[in-house]
């Protein structure tokens, strides 16, 4: 089949297997071309198929030589419908990892459920015994509570008052002001239940109770802070409340892991283009401006550079893990540099639909967006016929 991108709003409903494989290979090559890291050997990544989770899995496998188990929620191809990008990414990752002699197995299903937690524990017991790093990188719009069966849907809304700001349609380049109504009843609580720390804690409880966490095991989850201009929709909005909860949960989990010498951390990562970040109003325009500035200053990073730096300079640097005053690991440090943010603010004032290409890296944003789904990779012949049914070798 010839596969073309089909964009619907902020998602692409098709994915290209060869392109996804190339995107994964590029990330593997990046890690292979950097120094080896002395770190975790048995790693569980929850949310391992795209974005930061996939990059973490690759950094673990190729940086420290770790065996990895990846958990995610993806769909295989059906009829003429392509698989999701995360499915193709994982198929490519596993195949390459296996041929490089690395253990890699994957579990597809709802990570919020007890069933998937148990399945993961059984697989760890069967194959690895214990894990010494658990990466928690889920991003989901909804969650069903594993014991009460309640359904929670997260909302991306400001709190207290309407937020009006410039926003871009990244596909057309059109910029207009959007107004987002404030959170209503239950929006904050629901978003915290989906994207806060409750499920992370449940995972660590389940792994610890099953005795599958190694002595001195680490666990890490990801957060975002970003610039003041997106505070109303991000840091001070419903999602920000969930992130605050996630950050507080790290301390709780660290207490629980004390007896095995383990610790929980939250890393604040930089803004990158992922399926999740492209769904947040205002953020894509900010990212387009940010990319231009960070590329000009030669400090641009995508998920893989961030994940590698997290492993190499923070988690496994051989020194104490450095954090800010709140105990957060900050790999958003280059994004948040004063010179970078001052330039973003200046451009933010000036940017409009007419001058967007002069002031931003919209083409870089778009390119990254297409790459998420395996499109726009220069090495791939998109006119070639491809088989859309692709197996993941070790999936359950
Ligand atoms: P993403 O959409 O690329 O990845 C989400 C992952 O979660 C995928 O592997 C998906 O399969 C998995 N997933 C979703 N629902 C699931 C479910 N019910 N069961 C099992 N797996 C499920 O997202 P991302 O942007 O890489 O986000 C990962 C984390 O990084 C989030 O906590 C996010 O807030 C954080 N973060 C993102 C950015 C950014 O700019 N994208 C910046 C800083 C922090």
């Amino acid at each position: 089949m010839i596969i073309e991108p089909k964009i619907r709003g902020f998602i692409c409903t098709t994915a290209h297997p060869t392109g996804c494989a190339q995107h994964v290979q590029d990330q593997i090559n990046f890690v292979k071309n950097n120094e080896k890291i002395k770190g975790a050997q048995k790693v569980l990544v929850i949310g391992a198929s795209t974005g930061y989770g996939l990059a973490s899995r690759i950094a673990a496998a190729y940086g420290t030589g770790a065996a990895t188990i990846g958990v995610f929620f993806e769909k295989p191809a059906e009829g003429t419908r392509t698989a999701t990008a995360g499915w193709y990414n994982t198929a490519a990752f596993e195949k390459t990892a296996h041929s490089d002699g690395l253990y890699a197995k994957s579990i597809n299903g709802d990570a919020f459920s007890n069933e998937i937690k148990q399945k993961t524990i059984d697989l760890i017991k069967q194959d690895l015994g214990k894990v010494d790093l658990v990466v928690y990188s889920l991003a989901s719009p909804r969650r069903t509570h594993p014991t009460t069966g309640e359904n929670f849907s997260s909302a991306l809304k400001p709190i207290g008052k309407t937020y009006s700001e410039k926003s871009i349609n990244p596909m057309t380049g059109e910029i207009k002001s959007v107004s987002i109504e404030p959170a209503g009843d239950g929006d904050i609580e629901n978003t915290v239940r989906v994207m806060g720390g409750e499920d992370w804690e449940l995972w660590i409880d389940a792994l610890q109770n099953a005795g599958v966490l190694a002595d001195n095991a680490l666990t890490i989850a990801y957060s975002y802070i970003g610039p003041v201009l997106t505070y109303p929709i991000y840091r001070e909005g419903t999602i920000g409340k969930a992130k605050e909860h996630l950050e507080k949960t790290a301390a709780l989990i660290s207490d629980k892991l004390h007896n095995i010498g383990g610790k929980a951390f939250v890393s604040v990562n930089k803004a990158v283009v992922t399926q999740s970040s492209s769904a947040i109003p205002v953020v894509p325009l900010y990212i387009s401006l940010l990319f231009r500035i960070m590329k000009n200053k030669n400090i641009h990073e995508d998920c893989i550079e961030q994940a590698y730096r997290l492993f190499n300079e923070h988690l496994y640097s051989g020194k104490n893990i450095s954090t800010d005053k709140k105990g957060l690991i900050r790999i958003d440090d280059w994004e948040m540099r004063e010179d970078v943010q001052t330039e973003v603010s200046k451009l933010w004032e000036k940017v409009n639909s007419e001058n967007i290409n002069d002031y931003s890296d919209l083409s870089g944003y778009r390119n990254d967006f297409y790459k998420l789904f395996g499109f726009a990779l220069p090495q791939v012949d998109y006119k070639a016929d491809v088989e859309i049914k692709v197996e993941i070798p070790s999936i359950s």
Side-chain angles (χ1 to χ4, degrees):
M1 205 170 112
I2 310 284
I3 310 164
E4 286 180 355
K6 282 201 186 114
I7 314 282
R8 301 265 179 282
F10 47 76
I11 60 159
C12 178
T13 59
T14 52
H16 197 286
T18 322
C20 288
Q22 185 62 49
H23 192 206
V24 167
Q25 190 60 49
D26 290 347
Q27 296 186 62
I28 290 175
N29 292 346
F30 172 83
V31 179
K32 276 185 163 173
N33 288 335
N34 275 281
E35 273 172 41
K36 285 263 169 277
I37 304 166
K38 210 166 160 279
Q41 290 301 296
K42 294 171 181 180
V43 177
L44 168 63
V45 182
I46 304 157
S49 52
T50 55
Y52 274 118
L54 173 65
S56 307
R57 187 176 197 182
I58 294 172
Y62 284 90
T64 72
T68 58
I69 293 178
V71 178
F72 47 76
F73 211 177
E74 300 293 346
K75 287 201 183 107
E78 217 188 299
T80 55
R81 232 186 126 97
T82 69
T84 52
W87 181 276
Y88 291 139
N89 289 341
T90 305
F93 170 78
E94 274 201 12
K95 281 174 197 159
T96 309
H98 295 170
S99 70
D100 288 333
L102 291 162
Y103 171 101
K105 288 193 182 179
S106 306
I107 294 174
N108 190 28
D110 182 9
F112 296 126
S113 69
N114 289 334
E115 182 205 341
I116 290 297
K117 291 184 174 73
Q118 191 54 50
K119 220 172 174 178
T120 308
I121 288 167
D122 293 343
L123 184 60
I124 296 172
K125 280 189 178 164
Q126 178 196 301
D127 288 358
L128 304 177
K130 293 179 188 242
V131 289
D132 47 11
L133 173 66
V134 179
V135 178
Y136 187 85
S137 187
L138 288 186
S140 172
R142 63 192 69 85
R143 168 176 175 233
T144 301
H145 194 277
T147 45
T148 66
E150 282 167 282
N151 289 312
F152 306 108
S153 287
S154 68
L156 290 164
K157 291 187 182 167
I159 296 172
K161 57 178 187 208
T162 303
Y163 170 56
S164 300
E165 207 21 293
K166 286 179 191 173
S167 199
I168 192 166
N169 174 338
M171 291 304 140
T172 62
E174 189 193 359
I175 296 177
K176 48 182 189 195
S177 177
V178 290
S179 286
I180 307 148
E181 293 297 312
D185 279 352
D187 281 339
I188 300 175
E189 165 70 7
N190 285 336
T191 309
V192 171
R193 296 302 282 269
V194 181
M195 289 297 286
E198 187 183 16
D199 182 61
W200 183 25
E201 192 180 354
L202 287 174
W203 264 101
I204 301 302
D205 285 348
L207 295 166
Q208 193 171 21
N209 292 338
V212 295
L213 291 180
D215 284 348
N216 306 317
L218 296 180
T219 182
I220 185 139
Y222 297 140
S223 188
Y224 183 64
I225 295 177
V228 174
L229 80 93
T230 62
Y231 272 12
I233 189 68
Y234 201 94
R235 195 61 200 186
E236 292 172 353
T238 49
I239 181 72
K241 291 288 167 212
K243 289 302 185 191
E244 271 173 24
H245 186 272
L246 183 86
E247 289 158 16
K248 283 197 194 120
T249 306
L252 263 170
I253 296 177
S254 281
D255 283 346
K256 291 183 176 184
L257 296 181
H258 187 72
N259 61 338
I260 58 162
K263 264 196 147 182
F265 288 94
V266 166
S267 168
V268 183
N269 298 354
K270 93 175 259 277
V272 292
V273 185
T274 67
Q275 294 184 40
S276 303
S277 69
S278 44
I280 309 173
V282 186
V283 168
L285 179 56
Y286 165 72
I287 293 183
S288 306
L289 300 176
L290 179 76
F291 277 16
R292 183 187 180 97
I293 293 158
M294 292 187 80
K295 283 178 185 174
N296 280 346
K297 291 182 186 285
N298 250 324
I299 51 171
H300 177 72
E301 291 176 310
D302 201 353
C303 294
I304 195 63
E305 289 84 359
Q306 283 262 293
Y308 179 82
R309 193 151 70 90
L310 173 67
F311 275 60
N312 192 39
E313 294 180 15
H314 293 271
L315 295 181
Y316 303 111
S317 68
K319 299 182 219 127
N320 281 342
I321 296 174
S322 60
T323 64
D324 69 8
K325 284 185 212 126
K326 291 185 174 159
L328 303 167
I329 296 174
R330 302 297 299 263
I331 54 169
D332 66 337
D333 46 353
W334 299 349
E335 170 182 354
M336 298 317 292
R337 257 172 42 178
E338 209 182 315
D339 58 325
V340 173
Q341 286 303 321
T342 306
E343 287 188 41
V344 173
S345 305
K346 279 189 193 151
L347 293 183
W348 188 266
E349 293 307 315
K350 295 190 216 161
V351 72
N352 57 40
S353 306
E354 281 70 52
N355 61 25
I356 178 72
N357 291 313
D358 302 328
Y359 288 151
S360 80
D361 182 30
L362 180 60
S363 61
Y365 180 99
R366 253 183 223 145
N367 210 54
D368 281 5
F369 181 80
Y370 280 116
K371 266 170 40 182
L372 297 178
F373 305 93
F375 298 104
L377 285 119
Q379 306 93 326
V380 176
D381 175 7
Y382 291 101
K383 293 199 180 75
D385 204 26
V386 277
E387 174 56 59
I388 61 167
K389 286 204 167 51
V390 173
E391 305 262 308
I392 298 178
S394 306
I395 186 123
S396 54

